[in-house]
Amino acid sequence: MSLQCGIVGLPNVGKSTLFNCLSNAKAQSANFPFCTIEPNVGVITVPDERLGRLAELCHPQRVIPTTVEIVDIAGLVKGASRGEGLGNQFLANIRETDAIIHVLRCFDDPNVVHVDGSVDPVRDREVIDTELQIKDLETVESRIAKVEKQARTGGDKQAKVQLGVLEKYREALSQGRPARSVEFETRDEQQAARDLFLLTAKPVMYVCNVDEASAVSGNSYVDAVREAVKDEGAQVLVLAAQTEAEIAELDTYEERQMFLEELGLKESGVSRLIKAAYALLNLRTFLTAGSDEVRAWTFREGMKAPQCAGVIHTDFERGFIRAEVIKYQDFVELKSEAAVRAAGKMSIEGKDYLVKDGDIMHFLFNV
C-alpha cells in the first residue's frame, strides 16, 4: 500500500534536515533557497513497540515492521501558483502526495537566512496556503466552465452533482478557506470531491521546527501557530530538526535514549512524526505472529477482513473463507496462541469484520 506524505514549506525552514533524520537518505541540505529541486522519496519504518513484545514471546526468525513513504518537496515561494520560483513543478509534486507535512520555522538564528527576511511562521503558513488555494481555485473555475452548461441544460445527474461540489469549493476557496474545510453528505458528492484531487483537500499536519531549548514545551512562535490553525482541526507537532539530526548520528539506542532524557523527552520527535504521519494518512496496522515471522501490515481504517487478507496476497482475498483474530493485549497477557485458544479468546470472523488496529490475524482461504 504505497501512500505518501509530502514535506512542504518555504525555503530554509528545515525540511531537508528533517527528511534526512527520517530516512537517512542524506538529501542535500544547504543555507540557500531551492536547495531541493527534485523531490526526494524515503521509505520510512513506522515505530511500533508491539513488534518487540511479540518477538520476545514468539522468538521469530525475522521481524518486519510496516513503512510509510515521505517525500521532500522543494521550498515554495510567494507566487508559486503563477510559476514563481519553480512553482508549477513543486505544485505538481504536492498533487501526487496523499497528505501534507507543513514545516514551519519557529526558531531564531541569524546564520540561517529567511526568504522573507524575518521569522514569522503564521505568515509563512499563509503564504503557502494562499498559493495552494489559488491553484485550487483555478482548477475549480476551469472545471465549472466545463460542466456548468451540461448540468443546467441537460439531464446529466452526475454533472449536477459535480457542479454542486465545485460551487461549494469555489465559495470556500474564495473566502480563503481550504477545500478540506468543506464537508459533503452524500456518497456521490464525496466521490466527486475526491476525483478533483485538490491540493488543499489533503489532510495536513503542521510541524513547528524549534531550537533545542524549545523542544519540550515549544515557544511563542509555536503558540502563534496553534492559535492560527485552531479552527482547522489540524495537528501541530513540535520538534527540533537540528537536534534530531544530532540524535540520529549517535551509534547506539542507549546513547540516543540518554540524549532524549537529558532534553526531557520520552520519545524522539522523528518517531512521533512518523507515527503521526501514518495516522494522518488514515492508516492502521494489523499483525501476524509466529515462529517464522512477526510482521506489521498496513491497512486503511474501515477495511474489512477480506481486503486486509489481500494486503498479504491477492489470493488470500480472492479465496477468503474466514479470519482467526486475536487481540494484541490478550496475546501479550496469555503469552502464546495456544494459551489464547485454550482461554477462548480467539474469535472467528467473516467477510464483514472490520479489522482493528493491533489485531493479530490468521487468514484461511481456498483458491
Side-chain angles (χ1 to χ4, degrees):
M1 185 175 292
S2 180
L3 296 172
Q4 294 183 336
C5 276
I7 300 179
V8 305
L10 292 179
N12 295 345
V13 298
K15 299 185 315 302
S16 294
T17 299
L18 179 58
F19 177 80
N20 289 338
C21 297
L22 289 167
S23 67
N24 293 321
K26 301 304 176 191
Q28 184 186 13
S29 178
N31 185 21
F32 57 88
F34 306 122
C35 172
T36 304
I37 305 300
E38 295 297 330
N40 297 290
V41 181
V43 179
I44 316 301
T45 296
V46 178
D48 193 331
E49 295 79 6
R50 295 172 300 193
L51 290 176
R53 187 71 183 102
L54 290 175
E56 291 174 2
L57 296 172
C58 297
H59 307 291
Q61 296 180 28
R62 57 187 177 273
V63 177
I64 304 176
T66 191
T67 60
V68 63
E69 289 189 3
I70 305 289
V71 186
D72 179 24
I73 297 172
L76 290 174
V77 295
K78 190 173 183 178
S81 59
R82 301 188 304 274
E84 295 292 332
L86 297 174
N88 291 329
Q89 179 181 345
F90 299 165
L91 291 167
N93 291 335
I94 295 172
R95 197 178 300 280
E96 293 172 1
T97 65
D98 301 283
I100 296 172
I101 298 171
H102 189 159
V103 181
L104 298 168
R105 176 173 170 175
C106 295
F107 65 89
D108 293 308
D109 187 341
N111 296 315
V112 180
V113 298
H114 190 289
V115 70
D116 285 329
S118 62
V119 178
D120 185 342
V122 174
R123 176 202 61 205
D124 294 351
R125 164 188 163 270
E126 290 174 351
V127 167
I128 288 189
D129 281 1
T130 298
E131 295 305 322
L132 299 183
Q133 287 169 19
I134 290 171
K135 200 65 179 178
D136 277 350
L137 189 56
E138 289 177 6
T139 299
V140 167
E141 295 281 12
S142 175
R143 295 295 286 271
I144 286 176
K146 291 180 180 179
V147 303
E148 190 169 26
K149 183 177 180 181
Q150 189 177 6
R152 299 203 189 283
T153 61
D156 191 331
K157 292 182 179 180
Q158 187 175 1
K160 290 182 179 179
V161 170
Q162 290 175 347
L163 182 61
V165 167
L166 289 164
E167 288 177 336
K168 287 182 180 179
Y169 273 148
R170 179 169 61 182
E171 181 181 3
L173 292 164
S174 298
Q175 295 172 355
R177 294 187 289 119
R180 60 181 166 272
S181 67
V182 181
E183 296 183 359
F184 299 102
E185 296 181 1
T186 71
R187 186 172 298 179
D188 287 344
E189 287 179 325
Q190 292 166 359
Q191 185 59 54
R194 283 193 293 270
D195 290 344
L196 291 170
F197 298 104
L198 296 181
L199 298 168
T200 63
K202 300 177 187 296
V204 64
M205 172 171 56
Y206 295 101
V207 174
C208 294
N209 183 16
V210 300
D211 57 281
E212 184 174 305
S214 305
V216 175
S217 56
N219 54 32
S220 60
Y221 292 132
V222 175
D223 293 339
V225 171
R226 286 196 172 113
E227 178 64 23
V229 305
K230 64 181 181 181
D231 295 328
E232 279 191 36
Q235 183 176 351
V236 177
L237 189 144
V238 179
L239 58 75
Q242 190 56 50
T243 303
E244 295 291 330
E246 295 171 11
I247 293 172
E249 293 296 326
L250 297 175
D251 293 329
T252 66
Y253 173 80
E254 288 73 18
E255 288 178 310
R256 292 191 288 272
Q257 288 302 115
M258 191 177 300
F259 195 143
L260 289 171
E261 288 174 8
E262 290 175 359
L263 293 175
L265 296 170
K266 295 181 179 180
E267 186 178 24
S268 75
V270 163
S271 179
R272 289 185 287 115
L273 175 57
I274 296 170
K275 291 177 180 178
Y278 193 71
L280 188 66
L281 290 167
N282 202 27
L283 300 179
R284 303 292 182 267
T285 302
F286 72 86
L287 307 161
T288 52
S291 58
D292 291 337
E293 177 182 278
V294 166
R295 183 164 181 167
W297 302 86
T298 298
F299 72 100
R300 271 194 182 274
E301 176 79 16
M303 286 175 63
K304 295 182 178 181
Q307 294 172 289
C308 287
V311 171
I312 298 177
H313 197 286
T314 54
D315 283 350
F316 284 25
E317 181 175 8
R318 186 159 55 92
F320 179 87
I321 299 173
R322 63 181 182 274
E324 297 176 342
V325 183
I326 301 173
K327 297 303 177 185
Y328 168 78
Q329 201 57 44
D330 289 336
F331 195 105
V332 169
E333 289 176 1
L334 296 170
K335 296 184 169 47
S336 72
E337 182 179 319
V340 171
R341 287 179 182 272
K345 294 284 189 176
M346 175 185 286
S347 64
I348 306 300
E349 305 292 351
K351 293 182 178 181
D352 292 328
Y353 176 70
L354 286 171
V355 178
K356 312 294 191 305
D357 184 69
D359 279 353
I360 300 173
M361 311 285 292
H362 176 65
F363 298 105
L364 285 81
F365 69 102
N366 182 31
V367 292

